[in-house]
Structure formats: C-alpha cells, structure tokens
Amino acid sequence: MFLHRLYRDFAYIAVAVVAIICFETALTISLQNYWFGELGQRYRYWLALGLRTGIFLALLVCVGAFVGYNLRWLCRPFPAVPRTAPWFAAVVLAALVGIGATTLWIPLLGYLGATATGTSDPVFGKDISFYLLVLPWYDAVVAIAITVLVMAIALWALIGFAFYPSSERPWHQPAYRLGWSTRRSLRVIEADDADSWSQNELIWRGWLRQGVALAMLLCISMGISRFLGRYHLVINGHSTVVAGGSYADVYFWISAYDIIMICWFAAAFILAVAALVPLFLAWLITRPSHWVLPCGLFVILYLGAVIVPPTVEQVYVGPNQITLERPFLTRSIAGTRDGYNLDGPSVEEREFAVSTVPLTRQDLDKNAATLQDARIWDWRALEPQLQQIQGLRPYYSFAGVDIDRYVIDGAERQVMITARELNLDKLPDQAKVWVNVALKYTHGYGAVAVPVNEMDGRGNPVLWAHDIPVKAKGDLAVAHGAIYYGALTRDRVYVRTSEKEFDFPQGQANAETVYEGKGGIPLSSFWRKLVVANERDGLRLFISGYFTPESRVLLRRDIVERVKRLAPFLIFDHDPYIVADGDHYSYIIDAYTSSANYPYSDVYQGSLPQFHGRNYLRNSVKAVVDAYNGSVTFYVFDGRDPIIRAYQQMLPGFFKDGSDMPENLRRHIRYPEDLFTVQAEMYGTYHMTDPTTFYNREDRWEVPRELYRDREIEMTPYYVIAQLPGAAKPEFLLMLPLSVAGKNQMAGWLAGLSDGENYGKMVAFRFPKGTFIDGPAQVESRINSDSRFSGDLTLWDQHGSQVIRGNLIVLPLNGNQLIAIEPVYIEAEQTKIPTLARVVLAQLLPDDRKIEWARSLAEAEDLLVGAAVHPAISSAEVETDTGRLDRARAVFQEMRRQYANGNFARYGELLQQLEKLLSSP
C-alpha cells in the first residue's frame, strides 16, 4: 500500500508539473509565432516545429512502447510494482530521448528535400546528394536505435541481476523440468523446495529469452550501422595519405565491412532462433561447447576482418604506396578541389611572371586608379581613432571596421565604414534605469566612413561620412540614420510608447523621435503582453503607464543572433558589414552550407574552428538585415549547391534568388572572407594536381606571416581595388599571397572577385618556377634591418609609446609588377590611440627589392621611383605637441640610464635625438 500511495502522490505531482510545462510551452510557442510572423516566416517556424514535434512524438510512442513493454515484462515477478509504473518510466525515458533528438529536424529537412545532382562517387555510384543529405539522416536513425537498445539491455541486466532470485539461474540449474534434454547437475533438490524452484526457473527463462531478443535487435542495428559505414569509407578512409577511399579501403576494407555486417546478421539470426525456439535456447546455453563454437567463429571472422586490411596496408601497400595509391590520390585531389569549390568554371589558374623592371613614374601614373585606393589604414588601428573623433558620446561604440566600395564624386572608391551603435553598458550607472534602457535609449545613429589612404594635416583620417545628423558624400548618404538592429544591439526595447525615444545628441539638448518602422511585435492584447512578460520584464508590462495599444517590442536585435534563429541550418561569416543603401542602413552577412560527408574530400583543420571537421563548403546565401525595420532576406547565389536546393524545396518563400537583390545592395556584395580563408588554406596543398608531386608534398604552400605590434601573426585576406593582368579596369577583390611552405618566399597569390558578373570567381596566380619573390615575413625583416628605418623604430618603441606595424598588403599593378605597403603607427601608452607615422612602400622584384618609407604613400612613391630626393624625416614631424613632449621625456630618461651605465656612445646618439625633438617647430 505504501508503494501505491507513494506512486499516486508522485503521479499527481507529475501531472501538475506537466500542466505547468504545457502552459510555459504555449507561451513560448506564441512568442516564437509572433517573432517569426514579424519577419514573414511563420511557415518556416511551423514547419520546423512540426518536424521537431513529429520526431518527438514518433520517439515517444516507439521508444516508450518498446521500453515500456520490456520493463513491464521484467517487472512481472514483482506484484508490488504498480502496473502503470513501467509504462510511466518508459514514457519519461522516451521523452528524454525525444527531446534530445529534436535537433535532428535539420538533417530530416535536408533528407526530405534531397534531389539528385547527376554526379556520383567513383566507388559505389551513389549520387552526391545521398552523401550530403540522405546518409546523415540514416546515420542519426541508426544511432538512436543503438542507443535505445543499449539502454534497454542495461535495464534488463540491472533488474535481472539486482532484483531477481539469486538461485536457480539457468546457467546454474538443470533444465529437465522444462523438457530440456540435458543431463541433471549434481545439485540435490529438496522436495519441499521444488515448487519454488520451478517458479524461479520460469522467471529466469523468461528473462533470458527477453535478453536474447534484445541482443538480436542490437545485432541487426550494428549490422545496419556497418552497412552504412561502407559509404563512409569513401568519405574518410583509413589511409593517412588519401582523403577518402584508398587502395586498402576499396579492395579490402569494404569486403571486411561486408564480412562484419554478415557476422552481425548471422548472430542476429542465431539469437532470433534461440528466442523463438526454447529447445534451441536450452541446447545453446547448457553446454559451453554449444555456444563457444559460434561465438568463436564470430570473433575469428570479426578480428580477421579488422586485422587483415591494416596488415595488407602495412605489408603490401606501404612498400608500393605511390604506385597503388596513384588513382586514389587523383580522386582525392579532384574530390577536395570540388568540395571546396577550387575547381570548375569559377576558378582560373594562371601564371604571374613578375616584372624584373624597376617601377618608374610612368608605371605609377598608369596605376593611379589602383594606387589612389591602396589601403594604408589598418582597421585595427582605425577603430580607436574613430572612437576618439567620432564617438561623440560615451554611450556610442563602433563594432569593427568594414571595407567596401562606394561611388564618390563619380568614381568608385574603396571605403572603410563602421556603424555608430548604442552601447548601453557605457551609460552611467545612475542612468541605467528601466525606463532608459527599455524605452528611451533604443538605437544608434549613423555610420562613419573614411577613404582607405587619405589623412588630414594632423594625421587623422579624412571623413567621408561623419557626425550626427550624418554628413556624407556620394552613395554614403542615407535618408534615415537610425540603427535599431546591429552588431552591438543585444537587448530588447519598447517603441511607440508615450515616452519619446532619444534620437541623437543636439548641442545641450537631445533630439527625440518615435519609431516609424515595421519591426517589432505589437503589444495589442493581454495575451501578447503576457507572452512577452514571460520572456522579459514581467509585471512591468502591466503596471507601467507608458504602453499604448500601438506599442511594440523589438526582440533579438543582434543581427547575427537574428539570422541564426531564422536559419540554424546555415553557418554565418564572422564579419557582417554595414551598407548605406540610400534610404537607410542594412547589414549583409555571408552564409554557408557545409557538410562532413563529401566523398574523397579532405577534412578542414585550419585557422577557422567553426569549419573544423567539414569537407564541403559553399557560400550559397547572403542574408540582408534591415538596420531600421529588422527585416531579414536570404538571397541564393549558388543554385547548384544540392544542400541549399533541398532547403529551397522544403521552405518555399524563405529564399529569394540572387538576381532579385536590389541593385543598390548588389553592388556591395563581396567575396566572403571565411570562405576565402578556407579555400586559401586548402589550396596551399591541393594546387598540386600531379599525384606524385602531391604524394611527396614537393610544392606545398602556406599562408604567410606578418608582424602586428610586437608579435608575428598569420596574414588574413584583405580587400583591395586592383587591376588583374588582362583585365580592362581595376576591380574590387579579396586577395592573399601564399608562401612556399617553411620559407619566406612567395609562391603565388589568390584573388576572389566581387564585381558584376565576375562575382564568386577566383583566380589563382603562381610565379614561374625558379622565380624567388620576398614574402611578407621577409619584407618585415628587411624593414627591421634597414638602417634608414631602424633608428626611428627604436626611438618610437620606447617607454611611453609603442610601434604598431599595420596590415602588410601585397598589391599587383598593371604590368605584372608587385608592391608591398605597410603602415607604421605610434601608440601612446596614455591615450592608446594609434597615429599614422610612416608608410612603407616596397617593390618586389625577383631576387631583389626596393624599399622606402615616408609620411604618406605619395611621398613614398616619389622616393621609390627616384622622382625626388627627400631628406630623412624626423619623428617629431608626425607628432602632436603632447606626443613630442612625451617622446622627449622618454629619451631623457633613457639618456640618464645610459649615462649611469657608462654607455656614452649611446648617450650621444640620444642627445642628438633629443635635440631634434626639441628643435622641431
């Protein structure tokens, strides 16, 4: 009775908990429905919810029925256990499994939308879509089945050994009482114990047959898993040389997997017969010789299948590897190049014969369009400068500086642009009250844009878009500068309340506004308020007098979170960038489809951890987020991608074709950084298409390294406007030089094109064999060792300041000439604001180089071509009075130390430097 009463009380509590969960679920579903409805994507939400619910209910019913039946059968010997208890426990367990499996709605979505690509793998002849979209779903289903069976067997063993009678187990007792034709053991059975012994024997026999049935199902699942594992051999085989199926994989491991699969199915057949035929089960377990033979045969075949292929690999393939693996290396090279879109019509490989002729003034004039946009501002150094001169108020922040191109004064110019966002963390503590953070301070305002290589007389960047209200040149101008959705905008706000919003600072007062956009969830009913209150702010929504029937709440205003919520099946680029589209601002975010299942494609393990383990990558989608209305639009730019085609099939209306993107946005699309980084790192190895060269890694390339501050870092891709060899005009592109592995010599460079019909194409340039060009690290070393520069670098990099070496850019010029540009900044310890001090300009010639530096790129150009001879410029000329005074103090302190140490030669040098500092106007 106690157990029944305890179980009844527990059931009441469980019902109450379920009721609360159901109410919370209804509130959550309502909120999601309103949010997705705001974005016009209710169908996407309800389809995902339907798939997740379907997976959950299917597992709840199937797993619940399966586990419940097994638990009920196991609990039959225990009358004290309520009849519904096993079913209740099974439902709880099934619910946990179902909740954990609801994330499989994304593989299910791809599986349901899969269509053939017409391209097959070379081993099994399966379409590529099978590997990318169908196989992941099959793997997930089999994994769930194995997990459930393992849990069921664990429960079977736990209950049997822990709670069943400890005597009369079938492997200890004679079986003749049940008609088993076995010899009775030597154990003496007392007459008064016979009935009890017989009942226990029945219990154990039922338990044993149940375990045999469960083992049979597990063997079937393991066999199916091994059958699917055959397809994974062409994805990730056992060779350390070949990506995908190698010689041993194709000719030995596939057969081994077949043998293992047959072993599992054979074991399942034997166990099925044992479960269905009691006499066979009795015969099987009563003598070890009866079951040792099939088990031994299973172990021998299994171990043989596991041992023979690696033995063949070691004994036969290893000594003949290059010969035997040649066709498979060819497949691996082709598969990897296809997987990362390094082959086909969108990729062109060309030779770049670097000019051996030094630059002249005529060469510079011919490349004026390129050089006027040769970037000297490093985005890492520019951001603190813009924060200083354009932050305007402490609560405004800039979230990264992006590079784009705009039409300014009738010409396309390269521009660095960043949004001025509201950062509530920087409000004074006294101002962080609910009314301010939820109703008053709702948005940032405007963007700041600068040309990439211009500065004013004080060394600050020239501003092409600045101030509030925004003053902007050319296409940088917008009609509405408010930014309600951005990279730093993470909290909810309420708009159209009776409390007007802060718009922007205006002298001693503040301009105020009322939101007129289309974003937000209307708070027009009690239920809507309750739904939002459950998520945020609670009773405030009901007791505050600021809300009206027209009030709205703006949720999930972080643009990255916004697109991830809408499209969790995509991976998004780390660098969303803001665009001035004429009326207001928008953000463009590149999105990727990826997979770990592309046949014969090598796995990525490079510098971007979000793509680790993947061997297929496409930039199929670009997401556009309206910074004022919050709307999100996904544009498909690669309709050949089978993964995005599956999503388009299942989500009609969710995506738009890339040709539908408005022209004022389309001219700002860029070759994406993350994709280019992955491609460059993979291309460093897979540019070798000859199997022998690839096998020996004779010509491997790698991403070069450069100096930033006082440490060496790996170069990142950079945007430039340059004219490629054979092109009619300069164009906006993303590029990166590549160096010979282990050396500081450049081997070639990659360019990702962004303009017009060329968008998405990649050009790979390689230098002719025997041509040696200094790589970025070598250029950095030349700067350090040049006596013309080292003195100033040493002087600036002393107490009170630090030298910052900016982003080194290798830039191609028309005429197959290469130059390198690097800005040098001085950062005072007190202000932490870098100031541009010098621009280094080098021409990269085969087996030689010419390096100059000056206060501006134009002056460095003159020095490089010998058009004018300028005297060395003292460090004081690039500094403000405050900076010069700090420098003089630092030099004076160093003089005192050198004098104390008796180093009078160094003391004299410092004295001359101090004299130059103090005598500068």
Side-chain angles (χ1 to χ4, degrees), residues 89-104:
V91 168
V92 172
L93 185 62
L96 294 175
V97 174
I99 291 172
T102 54
T103 55
L104 295 177

Side-chain angles (χ1 to χ4, degrees), residues 202-479:
L202 288 172
I203 292 172
W204 278 109
R205 188 183 72 163
W207 175 85
L208 185 61
R209 290 180 65 187
Q210 183 180 1
V212 170
L214 290 173
M216 173 203 68
L217 294 175
L218 181 61
C219 287
I220 292 174
S221 299
M222 294 299 295
I224 296 173
S225 175
R226 188 53 59 192
F227 172 76
L228 295 177
R230 296 160 68 249
Y231 297 111
H232 285 276
L233 289 175
V234 299
I235 299 168
N236 186 18
H238 294 82
S239 174
T240 58
V241 175
V242 177
S246 63
Y247 179 90
D249 290 318
V250 172
Y251 293 111
F252 292 93
W253 275 109
I254 291 178
S255 299
Y257 277 30
D258 289 339
I259 293 172
I260 294 173
M261 177 181 65
I262 292 171
C263 287
W264 283 116
F265 287 149
F269 176 77
I270 294 173
L271 292 171
V273 174
L276 296 173
V277 182
L279 287 177
F280 179 72
L281 177 61
W283 178 85
L284 192 65
I285 69 171
T286 51
R287 288 185 181 274
S289 59
H290 294 167
W291 55 266
V292 166
L293 181 61
C295 288
L297 182 61
F298 177 89
V299 171
I300 291 172
L301 289 174
Y302 197 102
L303 290 179
V306 172
I307 293 173
V308 170
T311 303
V312 172
E313 175 84 34
Q314 186 73 23
V315 175
Y316 175 62
V317 177
N320 307 282
Q321 195 170 55
I322 184 59
T323 302
L324 297 176
E325 299 288 20
R326 180 181 294 275
F328 303 98
L329 285 169
T330 301
R331 292 178 183 177
S332 178
I333 294 168
T336 302
R337 289 170 68 96
D338 287 340
Y340 295 95
N341 205 21
L342 294 172
D343 219 341
S346 62
V347 179
E348 181 184 2
E349 295 179 301
R350 297 160 61 180
E351 187 174 272
F352 189 89
V354 184
S355 173
T356 60
V357 179
L359 280 168
T360 64
R361 170 50 62 186
Q362 289 73 23
D363 295 325
L364 296 178
D365 292 340
K366 282 195 305 183
N367 289 278
T370 297
L371 293 172
Q372 75 170 346
D373 284 315
R375 181 163 59 83
I376 63 172
W377 288 113
D378 189 305
W379 67 91
R380 295 162 293 196
L382 181 62
E383 185 175 333
Q385 281 197 316
L386 295 181
Q387 185 67 50
Q388 176 72 15
I389 62 178
Q390 278 292 304
L392 304 183
R393 293 292 188 274
Y395 43 76
Y396 284 131
S397 292
F398 296 104
V401 179
D402 302 306
I403 302 173
D404 202 351
R405 66 281 197 203
Y406 287 83
V407 175
I408 306 294
D409 297 331
E412 186 175 85
R413 299 293 305 275
Q414 192 174 190
V415 169
M416 304 180 78
I417 184 171
T418 181
R420 185 188 291 108
E421 295 192 53
L422 190 67
N423 188 346
L424 295 179
D425 292 337
K426 293 188 176 181
L427 280 175
D429 291 338
Q430 299 85 349
K432 292 179 181 178
V433 296
W434 183 80
V435 172
N436 280 343
V437 299
L439 309 179
K440 195 73 175 178
Y441 291 94
T442 58
H443 59 277
Y445 203 99
V448 178
V450 305
V452 295
N453 66 354
E454 295 184 21
M455 59 181 176
D456 60 22
R458 301 177 59 190
N460 292 324
V462 173
L463 300 176
W464 280 354
H466 55 96
D467 296 343
I468 301 178
V470 181
K471 301 171 185 176
K473 299 180 65 173
D475 286 353
L476 289 165
V478 295

